[in-house]
Amino acid sequence: AQSVAQPEDQVNVAEGNPLTVKCTYSVSGNPYLFWYVQYPNRGLQFLLKYITGDNLVKGSYGFEAEFNKSQTSFHLKKPSALVSDSALYFCAVRDHNNNDMRFGAGTRLTVKP
Amino acid sequence: KAGVTQTPRYLIKTRGQQVTLSCSPISGHRSVSWYQQTPGQGLQFLFEYFSETQRNKGNFPGRFSGRQFSNSRSEMNVSTLELGDSALYLCASGDGGSSGRELFFGEGSRLTVL
């Protein structure tokens, strides 16, 4: 079965600095990979996904993620963090057989002014 | 286009009671997935319905059940509530086609069991 690991419960960065939120995955075959963000008392919002092709995927709000097949990773990045980026971030994986989407435990990102 | 609508947003129940939560997916979407979110466990997959049939199922006890209607609206039911069932229950809507399509989430139903 597919699974996702987010090794950091919490990431703290200063505003204007680059940020990275880490994600590794396990799946049979080629993966579909996703990042979502959750603000307090809200549902999850889709940020970006990797399906195939270019390993660097660009998404909403200036976020991007890099797919690395050899390291089975899909880290989320942003060149310059904003205070408003502070939220809970989830990585998710799905296989090609329409099995359920599995989520990591989430990483809380705090951007300090 | 309207988003995913979940009702009720908040509810309080006592142990032993049962609860029914509702989810209306995005118009045209035929897949509805349910997740339980708790601070300690993150997002745990409950089940997915596609065209009124349960397509995938997570590792939850039989007290957790669901169904989907012909208009794609879905309900989930939890019987004999336990304190540990307190959580945010999230519904996600999808077109049910390729696995590469993203899911769209509602704002959740926050259940508190006393």
Side-chain angles (χ1 to χ4, degrees):
Chain A
Q2 58 269 33
S3 65
V4 170
Q6 293 182 242
E8 302 156 316
D9 293 336
Q10 174 93 29
V11 170
N12 298 313
V13 299
E15 188 174 31
N17 283 1
L19 71 87
T20 298
V21 182
K22 296 180 180 177
C23 170
T24 59
Y25 66 90
S26 173
V27 70
S28 298
N30 293 319
Y32 292 131
L33 295 158
F34 306 81
W35 276 101
Y36 285 82
V37 61
Q38 186 180 36
Y39 297 99
N41 299 314
R42 304 296 296 274
L44 275 67
Q45 296 178 29
F46 170 73
L47 278 178
L48 52 80
K49 66 182 178 183
Y50 171 82
I51 303 300
T52 186
D54 194 347
N55 289 343
L56 185 63
V57 178
K58 294 187 183 297
S60 307
Y61 312 118
F63 284 94
E64 58 190 28
E66 186 166 12
F67 171 64
N68 188 316
K69 187 171 184 177
S70 63
Q71 297 185 4
T72 61
S73 66
F74 189 55
H75 301 331
L76 181 70
K77 301 181 180 184
K78 187 173 183 181
S80 179
L82 300 172
V83 173
S84 58
D85 292 331
S86 298
L88 190 56
Y89 289 80
F90 290 95
C91 181
V93 67
R94 204 169 190 180
D95 64 19
H96 284 226
N97 297 320
N98 261 328
N99 287 316
D100 54 281
M101 185 179 290
R102 294 288 172 128
F103 286 80
T107 298
R108 186 164 299 282
L109 172 68
T110 301
V111 182
K112 298 184 178 179
Chain B
K1 207 174 193 182
V4 179
T5 303
Q6 291 189 245
T7 57
R9 289 291 313 279
Y10 302 91
L11 65 167
I12 299 174
K13 294 285 187 178
T14 57
R15 279 182 299 172
Q17 287 187 311
Q18 66 93 27
V19 67
T20 299
L21 309 178
S22 178
C23 173
S24 293
I26 291 171
S27 178
H29 281 187
R30 294 188 294 162
S31 166
V32 173
S33 299
W34 288 90
Y35 289 84
Q36 180 195 66
Q37 184 179 13
T38 57
Q41 300 293 321
L43 265 79
Q44 299 292 312
F45 173 72
L46 282 154
F47 27 67
E48 179 198 7
Y49 286 86
F50 176 71
S51 294
E52 302 179 65
T53 301
Q54 188 179 86
R55 181 159 72 172
N56 291 298
K57 187 178 188 305
N59 296 321
F60 277 79
R63 300 187 296 109
F64 292 81
S65 63
R67 59 178 176 169
Q68 186 179 33
F69 302 95
S70 58
N71 63 356
S72 293
R73 190 178 71 87
S74 177
E75 290 181 346
M76 68 162 283
N77 183 277
V78 188
S79 62
T80 320
L81 284 165
E82 301 176 0
L83 295 179
D85 297 332
S86 295
L88 181 67
Y89 290 88
L90 292 166
C91 163
S93 163
D95 66 9
S98 164
S99 300
R101 301 279 178 87
E102 60 268 31
L103 299 180
F104 297 85
F105 282 80
E107 304 221 316
S109 294
R110 184 167 295 281
L111 171 65
T112 301
V113 181
L114 302 176

